[in-house]
Amino acid sequence: MNKWPAVKTESVSWERTEEDLFLIPKSRRRKITATYEAAIPATLQNQQLILSPELAERLADARARLARFDEKQATLPYNLPSLFLRSESAASSQIENLTSSARNIALAELSPSAPKNAQIIAGNIDAMRCALGLTGPLSIPRIQDIHRQLLKHADEPFAGTLRSEQVWVGGTPYSPHGALFVPPHADRVIDCLNDLCAFTQRDDLDPIAKAAITHAQFETVHPFIDGNGRTGRTLLHYLLREDEVLRRATIPLSAGLLHDIDNYMEALRLYQQGMPEPIIEQLIDAIDLAIVVSQRTSERARALLEDWESAMHERVTAKIRRLPALLVEQPVVDSAFVAQRLGITRRAAMDLINRACEYGILRPIGNAKRGEFYQAPAMLDMLDEISSMAGIRRMLGIAR
């Protein structure tokens, strides 16, 4: 039997002036008392994790399949991880009820005129890139860097700043009384995060199990005012990369979690009650689904690029031959982006874009004027499909 510690609680004073209370509806005011109960997360760095033989076997199998998929990425002529980075960011945002089209998200990376939701999700892509670019031990400053990238498009003053106030999940906006979960008091956040960072350095644990527990503990600590869920899911990718479970690939883990949000949230709740197995199982399930989605998407991306290549009547050394691989990374472009990435002039880039439009690879967004943006519809359609649960179900043939 696994003896994992449950979250404890402490009574914390809740002070509000008479003027503050007067603004709160009377029905709510009666439930606000002088104290509330806040979580005290257990320390992890020395906890023993005992897994059943069945769960240990599932973890070993997941590691082996991830390693095989990872090896295949080195042989691809295009950057498939960039494609999955986009779908992962979109799916992670959907868990927080943030949605936007793949086109608008890609546009947000090039233009501040993109819709606000798209800009916020583009911040999730930046956070993923930041996390996957880090090497070395996890630290509080690195967590703050990821959070800062996540919210840089949201213009939030608390981006990258650990909270100095109480937050809570569920209940009412007036006080933590009656909330579904109340994370630790702000004074405990730094110690909790230092313990969490120390836990990630342990080498006596299965790396997937360690990543799952790190994620659940991060959500329990809730160190930021907002953006904790997306930051915590980004940390999953950092840990799998840092422990060399995935050296090259990125897989859409959040798509797997999105498949059954209720079970995912329930697993987090059970973790806080001293049961780590459900969140580990949730991550394994997410990996199982993400690998299948990734393999099928890789096949479709390869077929799409082959179609584009066969449509182009250009010499082998022509610059336009490099465009399809670029569109895997950035499916919305303008002449400045193409010029910078391919090392050509803006005029040459515009000529290349016009030829790609003739081949049916690109299509203008709005009126086709110089300096405007162009989309790769087929690539965006594929991204939209692997970034939503409905699309993934269609791809995999899963009944509703």
Side-chain angles (χ1 to χ4, degrees), residues 128-189:
M128 284 283 294
R129 287 178 177 143
C130 174
L132 294 174
L134 296 174
T135 57
L138 187 65
S139 66
I140 292 178
R142 289 183 170 189
I143 294 172
Q144 290 174 290
D145 285 343
I146 293 170
H147 187 261
R148 190 174 295 111
Q149 290 297 316
L150 177 74
L151 295 184
K152 75 176 188 179
H153 294 289
D155 298 324
E156 296 288 3
F158 54 81
T161 302
L162 299 180
R163 61 180 171 86
S164 58
E165 60 190 72
Q166 186 64 64
V167 295
W168 56 92
V169 179
T172 74
Y174 306 113
S175 78
H177 301 89
L180 295 175
F181 178 70
V182 183
H185 188 272
D187 290 346
R188 292 186 178 273
V189 167

Side-chain angles (χ1 to χ4, degrees), residues 10 36 38-43 139-141 143-144 147 160-168 181-198 217-226 228:
E10 64 179 339
Y36 65 95
I40 305 177
T43 57
S139 66
I140 292 178
I143 294 172
Q144 290 174 290
H147 187 261
T161 302
L162 299 180
R163 61 180 171 86
S164 58
E165 60 190 72
Q166 186 64 64
V167 295
W168 56 92
F181 178 70
V182 183
H185 188 272
D187 290 346
R188 292 186 178 273
V189 167
I190 290 179
D191 287 343
C192 288
L193 287 182
N194 280 329
D195 171 69
L196 183 63
C197 291
Q217 183 79 349
F218 183 86
E219 299 309 314
T220 300
V221 176
H222 237 65
F224 300 107
I225 292 177
D226 191 24
N228 294 283

